[in-house]
């Protein structure tokens, strides 16, 4: 869709914050840093439209003209991520009502009510005006609608919108009452207007994850996801009236809980996201997130739309990226499927809350800083690699299921253990495979699973549609499916099934959960794995498993507490045409080594691990496959020390030109990167 | 009052949440588990009354009919603990305004405004309709009004109600101003309408325990207690119009601070409560709470109305009860005076926030689970014991004073130490006696103390009415009274007395508190007890004691800090007819061993400890006395290991039939129970 | 201005809280304790004006008459720190709207809206009435307006007031938009009415320190400071209509962030403050605060208006002052420039939230308590010293810059490290000098620096006006200036400068900050100081320094992390007439010993440390210089043990009469004090 001959490298640029003399210096600096792409217009609304009647595109005209003269590509944003003061002042319905029930007044950003008629009217008008003016400009390679959609609103308009959404979903109050199990606590609704948004003034206490009725809260999150998507769609349609072809996206936030990105995926022409990991040691988590973003569009490349060149400003403590880390993380994104490497931001704002967020150019504008130098070097590297990686795919024989509904339902549940984090479980399960360079697609539960040898379904709390059957099909053709704690506990409305856990997954996994015990995070229970000849421990959740028959083998047992001896993990042998399929169930959250051992044992028979692949702690190995059949291997050293690993393949390092031999020593500096095009 | 021939065993059952086919299976399971009682109708309002004009008792009719056919007893609840959507929607005054001043909209439960005219009208109408229909049904052995009354409302109706309550209490503003000490901070009220509820928008900061004026906040809690009691009373009266005799209760929550249960006690025909301890090691605290509930009705048996068969769902981390624990805690309740053993719940809800709360029947409905099996075994045991324990009393020569006013006033006080917990002090003082099997009545400060040898008054912060005189009377007849930290500091309005601490208690205890120092919890100060030949330490509060004359003996001195050498605990010898009475004062909160030593030294002369009683860590020994003179000893092993203790009495174990000999070894399994009817 | 012959000793007294019979006992007790001054009328509004039409000064008449008969001085307070119920009830605009946007109703104190027309009208009327009645009474030596001004309001009246304030400051919206950098996030204001107060409903999240736009939040704090000052001024003017001469003050709260006391300083005739340190080991912090309060009025003496005789009540844990501590801290205040030693409070309230706050007379009214005895002894001491210390000055050759704007801007900044506390940095830098008895003036950034040899500018985050030039002038005349982390980062609107850090300070300090790294508090990085031959560590902030040329010498380097070897501290040699001036820059927050070493090395050449001065851990040495040329040395032992130090000077201890010899051993008890008038 994006017919590019080079990988976009650049990012957010707001020249309107400075006087024109700065712009020349910026352009020279961008050239020096090999910046080929700028994202323009984000948050420019108050300049582009100073009042209801007036549009003034002069600042944007100038920025685009200048980009084109410099030969740079443009990602053109609708500025609707932050409303202008005049809009909020004249039309207070634009501002949200928060979870506490308080109508907000003007301030901040990302806080327009998605049901506000005024916001709908004026945001669409803005998108329309922008597209009318700039559609067809060859420099504009993509549209970027709004910015980082998120949050929620609880105003009366949203309440009305929610009721309409519910009518469409349930048709009758009887169906709704059944779905929400309203006979509990006398909640049987007899009129649609009795329904109010679930927040601190109605069904919730102690915040967003404590709700009396999971059904209404789940539906409200689905509704909010859809309501914001409707705003995106409306702007997209406005653009499409003038520009039928240029791809349109918006920047996601990766593992962002409030919005179910799988509901959005179809609406985007390509996926893009902003990578701000919570710590400096989030390698596996970032990799998983890239794979999730890639999975939004069936494996098609995504864009890394934002990352910081050096440091963030929004954390309590904001460390800088050490030398090499920015480059390393950039290549990691590309290794996992990114077809663009963009940053927030090209030049640091003088004032307001992001003034200390990293930028290509800091307040001094100097081009001899470490950060600028590293970015220029990376720009040169990417230029050298050119378009060779564009539209490459990532072959994977393993799928990991990621599901917002399960995430939501599990973390809003009363019992068994609120200290369990969905993300933590996902990352824990993903890490052993990541560590060994095994490609993983992170996909929604309704993805086509027919191409995978292994399907991991960690914390598959909610069973929707035919996922049980499709997991069964994987095993029935000889594949391996793995699930565990709290799997199959609830249906699409967060109601339990009238059966033992893991609910509809029981027959496939051949196991019954007799009881679920829970402990504080530090309160570990020993777990014995006879086949691994190892004893580790488990935490948080302890499901007491009962194999249904002799086809289910016990692979781990608890070795402490009153339930010592009880099965903690099992493997079901599923008859298949070519040897057996397998269905593994892990009833606790084991320590890292034990989980590593169990997962690798589970998938060992599929030959996914390349014995010659780089294997050193913190060294990542990833592969992309270009449309023309070339294979590119990425070897990424996330460690702080130089390492030597076996070369993964015969080929040439695209960054240095050096030859790499499969199995021969390959040296990597601390945070070093090697991009090998296979012979 | 309850003429029963068996101990009610069963609990909350909401068949309306399932279709009729489930009911047959339930009935069979109940029979198998010896369930003889079901609590029906809790939270059923929206089914029983789908709108203002319509009542529909068909579901309840069916449930009662079915219970009666199965020979089960019925506890019939008014469903007013959760309002239906139509009521909140049509009459918003039904919903509360919270501590932050926010009017809530429909959601959750237990949140009807007690001053709401609409709630008053419709809840009474519901109780009336229920009673009109079901009064006289022989299966209905008790009425259960609402559910777990609690919380508070701060709406305008409550403000008006508060003013009326204050007029009734004080008659004049002068009296009110004096009571609240309003000359401080210019608060002299000159019109009743100037008074607003004390909350986050008026007198409070940092939550409910930080108030500028303790007087108004104390009175508001008293008013709220009375306001909710008025709702209970109104429903009770409605029932009594149709049913003059069947006992009426509501389920309390034990150590629940917001409502002063002593103000409610007279209104209940029998006490009942729900036992959900905060940890799995709350043996002494549960025992104290049982004794408190028993003390509400002058020692008459109470009901254990709810406990979980296995796990709760409302905590962050929800462990299950290990094998034997449910049985052990059930017998502990009976040992302390429970005449019923009921559970929440008979069948687990499919959805909403309690779906993972334990139940006799979980979502699978199986009857071969561990939990079902243990409940069936307990049911069988109770059936075997039959009515032999009904209406038995608990002989106690020791009283412990528990006072909501002191609790409130102490924990809302600015100074000396907010990290002091009233419950912690109560449990600390109770534990040494509990550990030795010494029966304790936990009673209000206005209880008749004339029958006790020993009266413990921990944290008796507030002196009301003639409690000082009545404590003096105990000592004057040779008894022992024990008090300590912060005792006698304030009067009924939380104003200090114009004298040294312990205020009006000074003459009795023969001591003056010169100063009160305070430290963080971990900052302990050594305490030397010469008579015990032991040095322990104290924490949180350090009162520097000054004996008033030579009749007061120093029993402990501080051995550190600048006040080293100062008396930390004293004993006053009070002339009495038969030997001296004693009045002990403990000026700090000692460590467990030191407190144990001091309290046992204080009561040693009364011969309360049976030297042959079971004495092993975690083994509890309790006695009940049947109306016909039979004595039953309970020996309860709260430990995780098997133990052997001396038999407390000659008799027979009612559970196993085995003979027990006083002093001979008595073996108990981990969590084991022995119920010995003395010869 | 205050022509006194004795040091005022006494404090807050509210006899109106007791009946007259108490008053006689109070008077006798005051005489016994040498109390010569009482502060009357604080919070008496509801008594002095029971309704809009009525004033009743009888209680105050009586109190003043009685004070005068006893020969006591009176500090007369306007009672406007707490509004009466009738005022809030009749005029709800009196009450504030809080940060969360909630209009409060009647309660507490210190919460009148500074823009409320009703409050303005009635508070001024009260001040006027008071002054009309009591002006000219010879006992009245000072007026005390309101009490502890503080907090903030966010109501509509404040919004209007804020807009007017902004118009006056910026004249045009263009200027305002530039100052606030509103092109960021589409915030360009096109109408003054679009501006709303920055709070939880507009620009803030996670509380007062998280704002999207520092510019608006900074300006709101300045506006609030001015708005409350306007209320003070209005009352002052009302008093001046009747009393042209008597000095007027209000009691400050020391290191109180919400109000910029430097904006208030001119309005006060003399400074006064209330000393309630956060811990019992705040010696250096208290000293700094005294010096800051002294600096408000160019070094003129201030009053210690409040301290507790024994304990506070408002903390979670409230320890008492050990024997000698109250006396020690009183003398410390005098040593740092206090010309009065007053207390809250003379008699403890019976009820409400300060009833357990310490007092000269506790609830018993006894005069044989330890606290009373110590106060009487101190009173006797002060009486003996008489007026000999009045109006003495504190010679200092070192200035420490303290700046509310830097404090605000730094602590509301996103990035680099929110765990950095402005106060902590100030106290850390102050402590090495305090420890050695080096006099320090704590002054605003616009103070005259021409008299100082050394100027410390810790955390000088904001550069306003000509401070860079004036610091340069200090160095240019051979002085030493020292700054460090985050210095020069922003301008008066919290916008960065278009240059490297430390912005306009760069040329003077000869250094550039290349990057700023940040770590969690416990994550320390080694720092090597070659000249000190020592290796310590730094924390929180790690600026990577780059000396601009050879005139800048590296005095410390990081010895760990990826930036090991990078300069961490520098010293610039600045050409001056008599030898070089020096400009030191500390790029991290070093541990105590390293900071001590660096700061002492920086100032060593100025000969500020007296080698014979008392030097023992915790022993403070301070000097005051009387108007008649006498010099008084204070030696204060903050330690818990007796010590012996060298006498600092030949002279006589005014407290004991003993002779002191310079260099000869001088013994001090634990918490002991020696006040030596030099020969």
């Amino acid at each position: 869709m994006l017919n590019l001959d080079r990988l976009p490298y650049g990012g957010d640029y707001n020249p309107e914050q400075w006087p024109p003399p700065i712009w020349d210096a910026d352009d020279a600096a961008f050239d020096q840093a090999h910046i080929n792409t700028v994202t323009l217009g984000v948050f420019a609304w108050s300049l582009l439209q100073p009042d209801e009647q007036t549009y003034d595109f002069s600042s944007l005209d100038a920025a685009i003209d200048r980009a084109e003269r410099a030969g740079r590509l443009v990602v053109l944003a609708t500025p609707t991520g932050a409303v202008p003061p005049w809009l909020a002042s004249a039309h207070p319905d634009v501002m949200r009502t928060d979870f506490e029930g308080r109508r907000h007044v003007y301030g901040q950003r990302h806080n327009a009510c998605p049901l506000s008629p005024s916001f709908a009217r004026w945001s669409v008008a803005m998108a329309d005006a922008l597209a009318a003016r700039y559609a067809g400009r060859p420099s504009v390679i993509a549209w970027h609608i709004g910015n980082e959609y998120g949050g929620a609103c609880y105003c009366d308009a949203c309440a009305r919108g929610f009721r309409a959404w519910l009518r469409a979903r349930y048709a009758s109050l009887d169906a709704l009452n059944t779905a929400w199990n309203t006979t509990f606590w006398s909640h049987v609704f007899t009129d649609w207007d009795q329904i109010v948004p679930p927040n601190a003034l109605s069904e919730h206490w102690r915040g967003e994850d404590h709700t009396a009725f999971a059904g209404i809260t789940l539906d409200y999150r689905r509704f909010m996801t859809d309501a914001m998507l409707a705003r995106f769609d409306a702007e997209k349609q406005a653009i499409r009236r003038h520009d039928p072809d240029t791809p349109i996206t918006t920047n996601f936030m990766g593992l962002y809980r409030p919005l179910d990105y799988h509901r959005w995926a179809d609406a985007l022409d390509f996926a893009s996201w902003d990578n701000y990991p919570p710590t400096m040691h989030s390698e596996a988590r970032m990799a998983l997130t890239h794979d999730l973003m890639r999975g939004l569009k069936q494996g098609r490349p995504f864009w890394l739309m934002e990352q910081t060149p050096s440091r963030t400003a929004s954390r309590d403590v904001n460390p800088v990226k050490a030398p090499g880390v920015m480059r390393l993380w950039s290549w990691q994104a590309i290794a996992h499927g990114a077809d663009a490497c963009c940053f927030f931001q090209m030049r640091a704002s003088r004032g307001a809350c992001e003034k200390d967020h990293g930028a290509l150019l800091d307040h001094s504008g100097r081009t001899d800083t470490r950060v600028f130098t590293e970015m220029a070097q990376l720009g040169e590297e990417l230029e050298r690699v050119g378009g060779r990686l564009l539209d490459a795919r990532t072959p994977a024989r393993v799928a990991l299921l990621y599901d917002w509904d399960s995430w939501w339902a599990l973390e809003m549940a009363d019992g068994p253990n609120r200290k369990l984090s969905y993300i933590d479980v996902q990352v824990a399960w993903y890490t052993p495979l990541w560590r060994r360079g095994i490609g993983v697609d992170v996909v929604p539960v309704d993805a086509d699973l027919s191409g995978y040898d292994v399907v991991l379904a960690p914390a598959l709390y909610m069973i929707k549609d035919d996922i049980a059957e499709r997991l069964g099909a994987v095993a029935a053709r000889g594949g391996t499916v793995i699930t565990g704690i709290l799997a199959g506990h609830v249906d699409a409305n967060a109601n339990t099934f009238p059966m033992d856990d893991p609910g509809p997954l029981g027959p496939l996994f051949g196991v019954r959960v007799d009881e679920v015990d829970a402990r504080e995070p530090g309160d570990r229970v020993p777990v014995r794995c006879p086949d691994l000849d190892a004893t580790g421990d488990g935490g948080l959740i302890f499901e007491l498993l009962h194999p249904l028959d002799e086809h289910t083998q016990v692979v781990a047992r608890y070795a402490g507490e009153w339930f010592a001896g009880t099965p903690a993990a099992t493997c079901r042998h599923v008859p298949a045409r070519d040897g057996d399929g397998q269905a593994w169930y892990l009833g606790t959250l084991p320590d890292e080594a034990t989980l590593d051992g169990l997962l690798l044992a589970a998938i060992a028979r599929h030959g996914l691990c390349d014995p010659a692949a780089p294997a050193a702690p913190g060294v990542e190995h990833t592969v992309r496959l270009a449309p023309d059949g070339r294979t590119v291997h990425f070897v990424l050293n996330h460690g702080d020390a130089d390492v030597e690993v076996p070369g993964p393949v015969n080929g040439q390092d695209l960054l240095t030109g050096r030859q790499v031999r499969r199995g021969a020593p390959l040296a990597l500096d601390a945070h070093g990167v090697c991009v090998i095009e296979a012979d």
Side-chain angles (χ1 to χ4, degrees), chain A residues 655-669:
Chain A
L655 307 183
T656 62
R658 67 174 158 169
Q659 293 298 316
V660 175
R661 292 290 89 191
R662 178 172 162 84
L666 173 66
L668 286 139
D669 294 339

Side-chain angles (χ1 to χ4, degrees), chain A residues 34 75 95 156 171 283 326 335 358 378 494 652 654:
Chain A
H34 306 269
V75 176
M95 302 305 296
D156 290 343
E283 300 90 24
M326 180 276 299
L378 176 60
Q652 187 181 26
L654 294 177

Side-chain angles (χ1 to χ4, degrees), chain A residues 275-620:
Chain A
N275 181 25
Y276 298 105
T279 74
M280 301 307 283
H281 299 285
S282 303
E283 300 90 24
R285 179 186 167 132
M286 290 190 293
L288 181 157
T289 315
H290 290 309
D291 293 350
L292 173 69
M293 294 294 111
R294 191 182 70 233
L296 291 176
K297 303 294 291 182
Q298 294 80 42
R300 292 211 298 279
F302 60 92
W303 279 34
L304 179 62
M305 190 64 92
E306 290 185 21
Q307 63 175 332
T308 179
S310 54
R311 58 176 181 169
T312 57
S314 58
R315 307 248 151 75
D316 282 354
V317 179
N318 297 275
V320 303
K321 291 177 176 174
V325 169
M326 180 276 299
R327 172 181 176 247
L328 173 70
W329 292 5
S330 298
W331 279 112
Q332 186 192 35
I334 296 167
H336 282 269
D339 260 10
C341 179
C342 293
F343 293 83
F344 182 83
Q345 53 191 339
M346 293 297 97
R347 178 177 269 278
S349 299
R350 275 201 70 192
C353 66
E354 294 194 328
K355 66 175 179 285
D356 287 321
H357 187 102
L360 171 69
L361 294 166
D362 68 16
H363 306 113
S364 74
R366 286 196 294 114
T367 58
D368 62 349
T369 62
R370 176 181 72 87
V371 169
F372 187 94
T373 304
E374 290 194 27
M375 281 192 63
Q377 287 168 349
L378 176 60
E380 195 278 333
E381 266 181 12
L382 292 172
E383 205 166 81
R384 204 172 324 138
V385 174
R388 304 170 77 86
L389 294 168
L390 290 178
D391 210 26
R393 300 305 168 95
T394 304
R397 292 163 55 200
V398 177
L400 178 86
L401 304 186
Y402 201 101
D403 182 43
W404 264 262
D405 276 321
S406 279
W407 192 359
W408 290 340
L410 188 158
E411 294 191 352
M412 77 174 67
D414 269 300
N417 196 330
R418 288 188 171 275
K419 301 196 176 171
L420 185 75
S421 146
Y422 184 79
I423 287 181
D424 287 352
V425 176
Q426 289 279 343
V427 173
W429 281 48
Y430 177 87
T431 298
L433 287 84
W434 170 81
R435 203 180 278 135
R436 278 164 191 80
I438 301 171
V440 176
D441 283 343
V442 179
V443 299
V445 293
D446 60 359
D448 176 8
L449 302 178
S450 61
Y452 298 105
D453 294 342
V454 175
V455 178
L456 280 73
L460 184 64
Y461 188 68
M462 183 183 291
I463 300 298
K464 294 180 293 193
D465 305 323
D466 61 345
I467 181 61
E469 291 73 22
R470 288 183 299 109
L471 287 175
V474 172
R477 57 177 169 75
T480 298
V481 293
I482 316 175
T483 194
I485 45 170
L486 306 180
H489 191 55
V490 301
D491 66 17
N493 299 309
N495 291 320
T496 58
F497 294 98
M499 59 185 80
D500 293 301
D501 283 350
L505 299 177
L508 171 58
F509 291 87
V511 76
R512 180 177 93 204
V513 177
D514 268 346
E515 299 192 58
V516 183
D517 211 343
R519 291 289 182 278
E520 290 287 340
D523 204 353
R524 314 280 305 175
V525 175
V527 171
R528 175 77 193 158
C529 306
D531 295 341
L532 305 176
D533 193 22
T535 299
D537 59 34
L540 296 169
I541 296 286
F542 307 93
E543 294 182 336
L544 312 192
L545 303 182
H546 181 90
L548 295 184
D549 60 32
E550 73 285 0
H551 297 296
T552 302
Q553 170 196 349
V554 175
V555 296
R557 289 181 190 274
Y558 297 107
E561 268 288 354
W562 62 269
F563 44 81
T566 306
T570 56
C571 167
R572 174 78 163 186
H573 293 268
V574 180
R577 204 157 354 169
D578 304 322
D580 283 356
Q582 294 187 356
W584 290 60
Y585 192 97
L586 310 188
T588 185
L589 190 62
D591 64 274
E592 192 174 313
T594 303
L595 181 57
D596 193 85
L598 287 169
L599 290 182
L600 291 179
I603 67 173
R605 66 199 182 96
H606 296 290
L608 295 163
C609 292
D610 178 355
V619 176
E620 176 176 357

Side-chain angles (χ1 to χ4, degrees), chain A residues 7-22:
Chain A
L7 186 142
Y9 183 62
D12 284 82
Y13 181 44
N14 290 84
E16 64 272 18
Q17 294 186 23
W18 293 274
I22 297 279

